[in-house]
Amino acid sequence: AQTVTQSQPEMSVQEAETVTLSCTYDTSESDYYLFWYKQPPSRQMILVIRQEAYKQQNATENRFSVNFQKAAKSFSLKISDSQLGDAAMYFCAYRISTQGGSEKLVFGKGTKLTVNP
Amino acid sequence: DSGVTQTPKHLITATGQRVTLRCSPRSGDLSVYWYQQSLDQGLQFLIQYYNGEERAKGNILERFSAQQFPDLHSELNLSSLELGDSALYFCASSPYHRGEQYFGPGTRLTVT
């Protein structure tokens, strides 16, 4: 069964510094999608970044980038120049899909990120 | 704003009651997903609909049911409510073959 593990329940970073959140997953598939979602205190789930497994290039979105290591089944999120607004719960997610068109996301338990001024 | 809307925002009801949560997907998205977020279970997938048809089922209780209508909005029905059903219920939608899902703001259900 596909599982997603986030080993850091909490992390903190100083404003303007860089922080890396870890995620590992378990799968026997060769083609899949991985995502990072952010959940601020408002509880809205916001898509931060996506990575397609067949792409060797790591995804980047402005200050957010990933380090995707397919063989190690590792998918970490790097936040550069951290801002106070980055404080949130961050969830790593894996998309399970089938030929029949069924899809679902499996989430890790989340990492709570605190940004210190 | 993800483009996915959910109503109501908050719902407080008593045990044994029945409630309906409503979701409108982003314009053009045919797939709708429901997730439950609780403190002890985390984010759990409940069910997926694609263009009116059920496509995937997760750990959805028999007391829960859902449907997707011809205009693509979806409703999640929760009946015989128990205290443990208190949670944040999210609806998400996705563009076909894109992979990512966009979440609505959620409905916070409190069962007293």
Side-chain angles (χ1 to χ4, degrees):
Chain A
Q2 287 89 346
T3 56
V4 177
T5 302
Q6 293 179 249
S7 58
Q8 308 151 316
E10 296 188 27
M11 291 281 284
S12 63
V13 63
Q14 290 297 126
E15 199 175 0
E17 297 293 305
T18 296
V19 64
T20 298
L21 309 184
S22 301
C23 173
T24 58
Y25 57 95
D26 185 24
T27 184
S28 56
E29 304 284 323
S30 59
D31 190 20
Y32 48 88
Y33 291 87
L34 293 161
F35 307 92
W36 279 96
Y37 282 86
K38 167 185 176 180
Q39 188 178 40
S42 67
R43 309 296 270 174
Q44 172 80 52
M45 290 289 288
I46 301 165
L47 176 64
V48 174
I49 200 164
R50 75 195 275 266
Q51 175 77 44
E52 295 158 63
Y54 70 87
K55 289 187 176 178
Q56 294 193 354
Q57 188 172 9
N58 289 324
T60 62
E61 286 288 342
N62 301 313
R63 297 182 296 106
F64 298 87
S65 62
V66 298
N67 183 4
F68 174 50
Q69 302 288 329
K70 191 172 184 179
K73 295 179 183 174
S74 169
F75 182 60
S76 60
L77 175 70
K78 186 170 87 170
I79 306 174
S80 304
D81 186 25
S82 297
Q83 300 175 359
L84 295 177
D86 295 333
M89 199 77 169
Y90 285 82
F91 291 96
C92 179
Y94 171 97
R95 186 191 80 149
I96 297 174
S97 63
T98 69
Q99 293 275 7
S102 70
E103 295 179 10
K104 67 177 183 180
L105 294 178
V106 175
F107 288 89
K109 292 191 180 301
T111 296
K112 183 179 180 182
L113 178 66
T114 301
V115 181
N116 300 308
Chain B
D1 185 357
S2 67
V4 179
T5 60
Q6 288 187 248
T7 56
K9 229 176 172 177
H10 301 280
L11 205 45
I12 302 174
T13 189
T15 54
Q17 295 299 304
R18 172 189 169 94
V19 297
T20 297
L21 313 184
R22 184 187 166 102
C23 165
S24 290
R26 297 184 333 149
S27 177
D29 288 355
L30 299 179
S31 271
V32 168
Y33 312 79
W34 287 96
Y35 292 85
Q36 179 194 59
Q37 185 178 31
S38 61
L39 279 173
D40 53 344
Q41 296 290 327
L43 269 157
Q44 299 277 319
F45 168 74
L46 295 178
I47 198 163
Q48 175 206 3
Y49 278 83
Y50 177 80
N51 202 20
E53 292 185 4
E54 181 185 304
R55 280 285 175 94
K57 239 175 177 176
N59 295 328
I60 187 167
L61 299 171
E62 284 193 16
R63 300 182 286 106
F64 295 3
S65 65
Q67 55 184 327
Q68 187 180 28
F69 295 85
D71 67 352
L72 301 178
H73 90 272
S74 178
E75 292 180 358
L76 179 67
N77 300 296
L78 315 176
S79 61
S80 303
L81 285 166
E82 302 175 358
L83 295 178
D85 298 327
S86 295
L88 190 52
Y89 290 85
F90 285 108
C91 169
S93 73
S94 72
Y96 186 62
H97 279 329
R98 281 281 298 169
E100 69 265 24
Q101 296 180 17
Y102 295 92
F103 283 72
T107 293
R108 176 163 296 283
L109 173 66
T110 303
V111 182
T112 62

